[in-house]
Amino acid sequence: MDCVETRMSDPIIVAEDVHKWFGNFHVLRGVHLTVSRGEVLVICGPSGSGKSTFIRIINRLEEHQRGRIAVDGIELTNDLRNIEAIRREIGMVFQQFNLFPHLTVFENITLAPIWARKVKRSDAEKQALELLERVGIPEQAQKYPGQLSGGQQQRVAIARALAMQPKIMLFDEPTSALDPEMIKEVLDVMGELAASGMTMIVITHEMGFAREVADRIAFFDEGRIVEAAAPVDFFTAPEHERTKLFLSQILHH
Amino acid sequence: MPAPQTVIPLWRDVRVLRILAQVIFVITLVLVANWFYTNLSRNLGRTGIHVGFDFLHLTAGFRISEGISFESTDSYGYAFWVGIVNTLRVIGIGILLATILGLVAGVARLSTNWLVCKMASVYIETIRNTPLVVQLFFWYTATFLKLPNVHDSLELPGPIYLSQRGLALPVPHLTEHFSSWSYFLVAGLVLACAVYVGRRRYLQRVQRPGFPSAWALITFLGTSALGWFLLPRSPIAWEVPVLSRFNFEGGLQFTPEFAALLTGLVVYTGAFIAEIVRGGILAVSKGQKEAARALALNNLQVLRLVIFPQALRVIIPPITSQYLNLAKNSSLAVAVGYPDLFSVANTIINQSGRAIEMILFIMGSYLIMSLITSAFSNWYNRRIRLVEH
Amino acid sequence: MQNREILPPPMLRIGPLRWLKDNLFSTRYNALLTFLAVVFLYLTLHPTLEWVLWHARWDAIPANLKLFLVGIYPMKDVWRVWVCVYWILLLLGLSGGLWGRLAREAALIVGSGAILLLLLPFSWMERLWILGAVLGLFGGLSIGWLLRERKSWRKDVIILWALSPLIVVLFLGGLPNNPLLSPVGTNQWGGLMLTFMLAIVGIASSFPLGVLLALGRQSSLPVIRWISILYIEVVRGVPLITVIFMTSIMLPLFLPAQVRVDQALRAMVAFALFTSAYIAENVRGGLQAVPRGQIEAAKAVGLSGMLTTFFIVLPQALRVVIPANVGQFISLFKDTALVFVASLLDLFGMAKSILANPDWLGRDREVLLFIAFVYWLFTYFLSRMSRRLEKALGVGER
Ligand SMILES: Nc1ncnc2c1ncn2[C@@H]1O[C@H](COP(=O)(O)OP(=O)(O)O)[C@@H](O)[C@H]1O
Ligand SMILES: [Mg+2]
């Protein structure tokens, strides 16, 4: 508990009253969230509740229309420099991997460091090898994404995001598109990443992962965070009816 | 916590940057256009040409070999109009014939008859892979101009006469009995409508399928046929071309230029339409056929009720663009000397030196045709989508 | 149809009679069709064959072969054309060796074509040149074959291909003050060579323009989008011949008086302006086929819009549209014949001018059939290849 307290004093992501509309559809209806440095936050909630939209807003894949977001002290505004700086701080992993199919695994990982961070090619390649080592597939470097299994692709995607040396990692349902036997290999990589002190926001319905790895679990519904609590409290004593209902549905599987 | 930074420098604001990019783009375009314009006016000034449309009223001073009547004393503007009418004439007839040829060749290429299938393939692969203008030139100089003299013209059943002077065909014309016959036509139309409505109501009431339109058609044809036989002489007669001293007179006559252009366009476009028809039928018939068979429809019904309507949906958009191609390709008339809008405009340019204005006119005319076609195409696609959902 | 890779089912031995019955007389209706077809064939083929065998006078073709092939290109410089042909064949051979079946087959077909040419009654000098071409092709093929394991060569060969139009233009056009490559103005280019140069320069210069237009049409900035759409739709709405006509008359008016642009260059400008609109539409199809997730992933790893377009979107989009663009090249190749409105002497223009020569009066059929055959040969070959390529790349039918 002590530990959580000290972390709370060092927020890295601050979102205050974030709103978002798609046309007339009010997707996010005032999201308040603070994530501390090194914290692992799991977001869960029914489909269509705006979870993806929210984390996509954090690195400006979508634009929010009201409220305020700051990442590591940088305001997320229309300032191009801030947007670029924030994107540099944040890595993102998608449900559908979104690897670049025309590039090899190696090129997927080195492309952004070389061109966007202007790292020397040899350094970028050395780092790529280390990262592939870290996610457990150094032997696949010269293959194309299409030649890998889903689990391997997702691990490459994690390595690709890490290659930009982000301070924060966002995961949008990283295991939902995977066959069951591959889920664990990806979750293991994510667990190690969490253990290394990375700040992470993970949208997932893997409640086992949430229980073991998360520092906090936030429950999203109808565009709001209904409640957020440490895993123990979240699973044993959820406050809201909707949370209870959701948990009973998801844990019955 | 840092205070929210409220003022963003303009050059870093994404919204401003978006507008800025567009402004720069427009400025660049304007600069380039301005450069062209300055050059143009300087060049025109040097050569003493001025731009304007007043010349359209001037006397043309040349003749146009075919089309609606035109004298060399008529104006340039009217000459261009004659060209437009000639273009529309070749497009209209061309589209009709190319569609028929394309349908026949497309179905023939799918035929189980080896010889028919191979003939269609050879036709399609030869025609599609050679330049249209070479074909047109071939039709003109190597076919129509090589035909025998008028006095030894080839006579085909009809009678249709083929000679160096072109094509002469019989044409239907109305006799004095036509006005009496028209009463039968009107009566037939009214009756047909009544039958259609009545039959449809009946079918709906008993909830059975049927063809009210076929009933209506039969009614109409029956009434008109009745009229035809009741009248003392037939209301429509054929006017047959007759050879006089120098050329054929009467009937419908096509110059070799028109005939060559029409043949070339039809044969060329027909080959493209054939491929579209074939593709459409193949695309539909694969799975659909089995499904329809499973529903116990017989062969003819399958073709009429399942394959054809669906193939039509696939076929019509690309065929429309082939029609448009035919329209645009009709400008190759200039290669065979048929006075379409492009070649008339060409003559006007040679005569009056008004290149800029005439080129604007030419492009404008084709653009209007394209706009009409794509408007139709969009309307059709939207309708299809409505039907699908 | 013949090129399926699937093994045929075990063959039943079918006698010719059985084949006739199955394919020509299976039903009464089919028998009637066959009968009609035979009558039609007799009526058309009989006079045609009679003409080809007895009446046709083909002498105009060998007598004017040089004009048909290179026009009035100076005789002493014709070796430069040959060198360009060698260069292209060498590249084709290299590609055939380096890439898979399709490129190899293309190289082999072209090689056999060249060998067939050797059998025709050419002079010894000409045969030597042709022999050189064959050797160049097969030399390239063997080098490519030996190097096929080294993937990096592929990139080099692609770059060489991309540079080829420039190299060929420089080589044929020559350089000022160069004794070896003395300048030969485009007004001296002609025949099949000019046809090819128009098509190649046309496609090469319309490609970048077309890609930019396609990107413009997909842009999120409205003004850029509208202007791109306007350009594309206007150009697609008018016939090519009017564009050629326009540039041939008006281009000089739009340029400063001291800039001289000869007719061939004006025609190339017309092809570039015209074809770019069509390329843009093809490329747009490819751009739409790139999933949104790709762009989002690129943004998320911090690539800027420009880098995303260059490294992520275009490589994926362009791959999909290769066959469509080959198709565009084919139709451009056919359309080069339209430069007759600019009085250029390409293959077709040359045929027209030879036919206008009193010496060759009345050879219209022979000459036109000959050039039609030349056009057909290249177009048919290219379109077969493009259809195969489409299958090989797994691009779905449109
Ligand atoms: N680009 C978009 N345009 C319009 N509606 C969208 C868009 N993206 C998402 N939505 C809608 O917003 C809602 C929330 O979506 P999302 O954030 O993906 O939910 P979750 O990830 O929680 O399942 C959904 O109803 C979805 O249909
Ligand atoms: Mg989601």
Side-chain angles (χ1 to χ4, degrees):
Chain A
M1 218 52 219
D2 210 40
C3 176
V4 174
E5 294 284 274
T6 48
R7 276 180 188 175
M8 282 305 186
S9 59
D10 186 11
I12 189 165
I13 299 178
V14 179
E16 285 168 7
D17 195 30
V18 172
H19 288 259
K20 166 84 187 166
W21 287 262
F22 281 122
N24 286 327
F25 177 45
H26 200 170
V27 192
L28 297 184
R29 308 176 179 185
V31 179
H32 292 268
L33 181 71
T34 309
V35 181
S36 333
R37 210 172 286 277
E39 182 179 1
V40 175
L41 173 75
V42 162
I43 297 180
C44 61
S47 152
S49 57
K51 309 180 295 291
S52 301
T53 308
F54 177 63
I55 69 165
R56 286 155 57 81
I57 279 176
I58 298 178
N59 73 346
R60 246 316 155 96
L61 293 181
E62 304 281 359
E63 200 174 325
H64 63 290
Q65 282 133 325
R66 216 164 84 194
R68 133 164 209 271
I69 294 176
V71 177
D72 204 13
I74 309 167
E75 288 293 320
L76 183 57
T77 57
N78 281 318
D79 190 336
L80 190 62
R81 195 176 66 179
N82 290 10
I83 295 174
E84 283 176 353
I86 287 178
R87 285 210 180 123
R88 233 173 287 134
E89 304 247 309
I90 299 179
M92 184 157 181
V93 174
F94 301 85
Q95 181 177 354
Q96 298 297 340
F97 328 137
N98 293 348
L99 291 179
F100 307 131
H102 59 297
L103 302 178
T104 62
V105 165
F106 210 60
E107 291 164 336
N108 261 280
I109 300 174
T110 54
L111 181 71
I114 292 174
W115 289 95
R117 250 185 50 219
K118 309 275 195 279
V119 175
K120 273 213 308 246
R121 180 175 289 273
S122 55
D123 293 347
E125 288 178 348
K126 214 172 96 224
Q127 185 202 11
L129 269 182
E130 286 166 13
L131 284 169
L132 280 176
E133 203 83 56
R134 188 165 163 196
V135 299
I137 37 174
E139 71 285 357
Q140 312 286 5
Q142 293 310 326
K143 287 195 180 163
Y144 285 90
Q147 299 167 301
L148 303 183
S149 74
Q152 290 171 329
Q153 289 193 44
Q154 195 60 299
R155 286 187 278 161
V156 174
I158 295 174
R160 178 178 70 178
L162 290 175
M164 287 300 280
Q165 303 185 340
K167 296 187 181 150
I168 302 160
M169 287 282 284
L170 307 177
F171 294 83
D172 190 354
E173 306 204 28
T175 55
S176 312
L178 296 179
D179 292 337
E181 71 270 20
M182 297 170 185
I183 291 179
K184 189 174 172 303
E185 62 188 54
V186 172
L187 290 181
D188 286 348
V189 170
M190 288 166 60
E192 277 164 32
L193 194 59
S196 75
M198 176 69 75
T199 311
M200 292 163 57
I201 300 184
V202 184
I203 300 178
T204 185
H205 293 149
E206 294 294 329
M207 286 305 144
F209 174 83
R211 205 183 305 242
E212 277 175 36
V213 181
D215 296 312
R216 219 164 23 130
I217 303 181
F219 178 68
F220 231 84
D221 195 24
E222 301 193 331
R224 280 194 200 93
I225 293 180
V226 177
E227 73 176 285
V232 194
D233 305 325
F234 186 81
F235 287 113
T236 50
E239 281 176 21
H240 289 261
E241 277 310 308
R242 285 206 298 254
T243 320
K244 283 177 197 159
L245 185 66
F246 179 76
L247 279 177
S248 74
Q249 281 166 347
I250 210 162
L251 294 176
H252 270 227
H253 285 293
Chain B
M1 187 179 296
Q5 189 183 339
T6 43
V7 186
I8 307 167
L10 281 185
W11 66 91
R12 284 196 337 234
D13 188 325
V14 261
R15 284 168 304 182
V16 177
L17 285 177
R18 282 170 57 91
I19 295 169
L20 200 66
Q22 303 186 50
V23 170
I24 292 177
F25 182 72
V26 170
I27 289 177
T28 319
L29 276 190
V30 168
L31 284 181
V32 171
N34 184 50
W35 185 69
F36 281 137
Y37 183 76
T38 347
N39 288 332
L40 181 67
S41 49
R42 201 172 295 150
N43 287 329
L44 289 181
R46 207 159 29 84
T47 45
I49 306 173
H50 85 279
V51 178
F53 293 96
D54 45 340
F55 75 100
L56 290 174
H57 302 293
L58 300 182
T59 311
F62 58 84
R63 301 179 149 278
I64 295 180
S65 55
E66 62 182 304
I68 49 181
S69 77
F70 179 82
E71 297 299 325
S72 54
T73 48
D74 285 328
S75 67
Y76 284 129
Y78 187 62
F80 190 64
W81 171 246
V82 175
I84 291 183
V85 172
N86 279 342
T87 292
L88 291 179
R89 187 163 77 123
V90 80
I91 293 176
I93 305 178
I95 283 181
L96 187 75
L97 297 181
T99 311
I100 297 172
L101 180 62
L103 280 175
V104 171
V107 173
R109 200 170 182 185
L110 290 171
S111 166
T112 52
N113 186 313
W114 182 86
L115 195 59
V116 171
C117 170
K118 279 288 165 284
M119 277 166 61
S121 313
V122 169
Y123 157 60
I124 292 169
E125 295 295 347
T126 319
I127 295 300
R128 279 166 56 98
N129 289 312
T130 43
L132 172 58
V133 63
V134 175
Q135 292 177 32
L136 281 175
F137 215 64
F138 188 85
W139 288 118
Y140 185 56
T141 62
T143 310
F144 280 97
L145 291 188
K146 287 268 158 67
L147 285 171
N149 191 288
V150 226
H151 296 283
D152 318 313
S153 15
L154 293 176
E155 186 181 337
L156 302 179
I160 299 171
Y161 296 100
L162 274 170
S163 73
Q164 276 181 343
R165 292 288 179 82
L167 194 65
L169 328 157
V171 67
H173 75 112
L174 314 175
T175 64
E176 71 273 26
H177 293 283
F178 186 78
S179 54
S180 352
W181 192 47
S182 61
Y183 295 121
F184 282 93
L185 291 183
V186 173
L189 210 60
V190 174
L191 262 179
C193 289
V195 165
Y196 180 82
V197 172
R199 182 69 191 165
R200 233 182 99 159
R201 291 243 176 91
Y202 169 77
L203 286 173
Q204 271 168 0
R205 207 173 58 237
V206 299
Q207 301 197 343
R208 276 190 31 221
F211 310 109
S213 45
W215 280 55
L217 191 68
I218 290 172
T219 313
F220 176 73
L221 290 180
T223 320
S224 352
L226 187 72
W228 187 292
F229 289 117
L230 285 183
L231 288 174
R233 275 183 51 211
S234 69
I236 295 175
W238 290 97
E239 185 187 307
V240 179
V242 217
L243 185 63
S244 69
R245 259 175 65 124
F246 298 113
N247 201 350
F248 283 99
E249 272 165 21
L252 187 61
Q253 305 218 11
F254 292 136
T255 59
E257 291 80 24
F258 179 81
L261 178 64
L262 185 67
T263 316
L265 288 176
V266 165
V267 168
Y268 188 75
T269 314
F272 283 86
I273 293 182
E275 277 299 87
I276 295 170
V277 169
R278 181 178 87 112
I281 293 180
L282 275 183
V284 172
S285 60
K286 269 175 201 156
Q288 295 289 333
K289 216 156 159 179
E290 278 95 35
R293 286 266 168 71
L295 292 171
L297 299 168
N298 70 30
N299 242 338
L300 199 73
Q301 279 172 324
V302 169
L303 199 67
R304 202 185 72 80
L305 294 174
V306 183
I307 296 190
F308 213 66
Q310 295 200 47
L312 218 55
R313 191 170 301 173
V314 187
I315 285 171
I316 284 188
I319 284 197
T320 321
S321 82
Q322 283 307 322
Y323 289 163
L324 195 57
N325 281 346
L326 186 145
K328 289 191 278 178
N329 285 334
S330 71
S331 57
L332 295 184
V334 71
V336 297
Y338 173 74
D340 77 323
L341 75 90
F342 181 69
S343 49
V344 169
N346 199 2
T347 317
I348 297 180
I349 292 178
N350 288 337
Q351 198 93 349
S352 67
R354 297 311 189 90
I356 298 172
E357 298 89 333
M358 286 320 292
I359 286 176
L360 279 180
F361 270 4
I362 301 172
M363 298 214 156
S365 315
Y366 286 110
L367 266 184
I368 290 171
M369 288 184 222
S370 306
L371 283 180
I372 293 174
T373 316
S374 60
F376 165 78
S377 193
N378 289 341
W379 169 82
Y380 180 83
N381 284 340
R382 220 174 307 127
R383 224 190 65 145
I384 287 298
R385 221 172 296 135
L386 281 185
V387 173
E388 270 170 1
H389 288 304
Chain C
M1 267 175 259
Q2 296 94 314
N3 309 314
R4 292 255 184 81
E5 292 175 21
I6 312 162
L7 284 179
M11 281 286 276
L12 293 174
R13 292 228 171 269
I14 296 173
L17 275 179
R18 180 64 197 280
W19 184 91
L20 279 180
K21 183 168 171 356
D22 282 354
N23 290 293
L24 295 177
F25 303 99
S26 55
T27 58
R28 216 176 288 167
Y29 159 76
N30 248 338
L32 180 70
L33 268 185
T34 306
F35 173 73
L36 288 177
V38 168
V39 169
F40 177 80
L41 278 183
Y42 177 79
L43 286 180
T44 51
L45 276 190
H46 180 246
T48 312
L49 274 182
E50 199 178 74
W51 175 80
V52 168
L53 292 178
W54 306 116
H55 303 299
R57 289 170 301 169
W58 299 100
D59 52 348
I61 287 133
N64 295 304
L65 199 58
K66 192 238 161 192
L67 288 178
F68 281 123
L69 293 181
V70 294
I72 55 167
Y73 200 82
M75 204 60 196
K76 69 169 179 44
D77 286 315
V78 167
W79 63 271
R80 281 152 67 172
V81 183
W82 277 110
V83 171
C84 291
V85 172
Y86 287 6
W87 167 253
I88 297 294
L89 289 181
L90 186 74
L91 278 185
L92 184 64
L94 270 176
S95 319
L98 284 170
W99 274 276
R101 243 165 20 99
L102 199 58
R104 196 164 316 137
E105 220 166 282
L108 287 177
I109 292 175
V110 173
S112 349
I115 293 177
L116 275 184
L117 279 182
L118 277 179
L119 301 178
L120 292 177
F122 286 114
S123 73
W124 285 111
M125 194 58 204
E126 287 156 345
R127 283 192 181 171
L128 221 55
W129 280 118
I130 300 175
L131 194 66
V134 174
L135 290 182
L137 183 73
F138 286 100
L141 203 57
S142 1
I143 297 175
W145 178 254
L146 291 176
L147 293 173
R148 69 190 180 283
E149 292 306 328
R150 295 199 213 152
K151 299 281 190 263
S152 63
W153 269 83
R154 294 187 173 189
K155 247 177 206 144
D156 298 337
V157 170
I158 290 181
I159 293 172
L160 287 182
W161 273 117
L163 287 178
S164 289
L166 201 66
I167 296 176
V168 170
V169 167
L170 281 181
F171 214 80
L172 293 179
L175 303 162
N177 309 324
N178 186 324
L180 196 60
L181 298 178
S182 53
V184 179
T186 43
N187 49 357
Q188 281 175 294
W189 297 13
L192 187 60
M193 177 190 115
L194 179 59
T195 295
F196 265 108
M197 290 316 295
L198 288 171
I200 291 171
V201 174
I203 200 87
S205 48
S206 62
F207 193 74
L209 193 56
V211 170
L212 286 182
L213 281 168
L215 289 172
R217 188 163 189 169
Q218 296 295 92
S219 165
S220 61
L221 305 177
V223 174
I224 295 182
R225 194 170 58 237
W226 295 329
I227 290 177
S228 306
I229 291 178
L230 187 72
Y231 178 87
I232 293 172
E233 292 305 330
V234 166
V235 170
R236 279 159 38 96
V238 298
L240 171 57
I241 193 171
T242 61
V243 181
I244 300 176
F245 189 65
M246 184 187 77
T247 54
S248 90
I249 292 183
M250 302 219 310
L251 198 62
L253 290 180
F254 281 118
L255 296 175
Q258 60 276 19
V259 179
R260 289 203 184 282
V261 192
D262 64 32
Q263 284 290 353
L265 200 55
R266 292 181 209 172
M268 287 173 191
V269 171
F271 287 132
L273 292 178
F274 182 79
T275 307
S276 62
Y278 289 80
I279 300 256
E281 281 303 271
N282 291 341
V283 171
R284 180 163 76 115
L287 291 178
Q288 283 169 337
V290 177
R292 273 201 63 75
Q294 290 290 312
I295 299 164
E296 290 179 352
K299 274 189 192 167
V301 291
L303 293 178
S304 66
M306 202 95 89
L307 290 177
T308 304
T309 305
F310 193 75
F311 284 119
I312 308 302
V313 178
L314 280 184
Q316 296 186 51
L318 294 185
R319 188 186 139 84
V320 182
V321 298
I322 292 174
N325 285 336
V326 175
Q328 207 58 57
F329 177 75
I330 294 171
S331 72
L332 178 60
F333 179 74
K334 287 194 294 169
D335 284 341
T336 52
L338 298 185
V339 294
F340 75 91
V341 283
S343 323
L344 281 175
L345 296 179
D346 68 319
L347 185 58
F348 175 62
M350 196 46 88
K352 275 182 70 167
S353 86
I354 288 171
L355 288 176
N357 181 339
D359 290 348
W360 306 111
L361 215 60
R363 308 291 206 290
D364 308 68
R365 287 181 182 165
E366 293 83 349
V367 167
L368 288 173
L369 279 177
F370 168 70
I371 64 162
F373 177 71
V374 174
Y375 280 113
W376 180 85
L377 209 59
F378 288 106
T379 317
Y380 185 69
F381 169 70
L382 280 174
S383 59
R384 287 309 288 249
M385 284 298 146
S386 121
R387 238 178 277 173
R388 304 269 316 273
L389 187 66
E390 203 163 335
K391 280 200 189 122
L393 286 177
V395 182
E397 283 118 39
R398 275 185 289 171

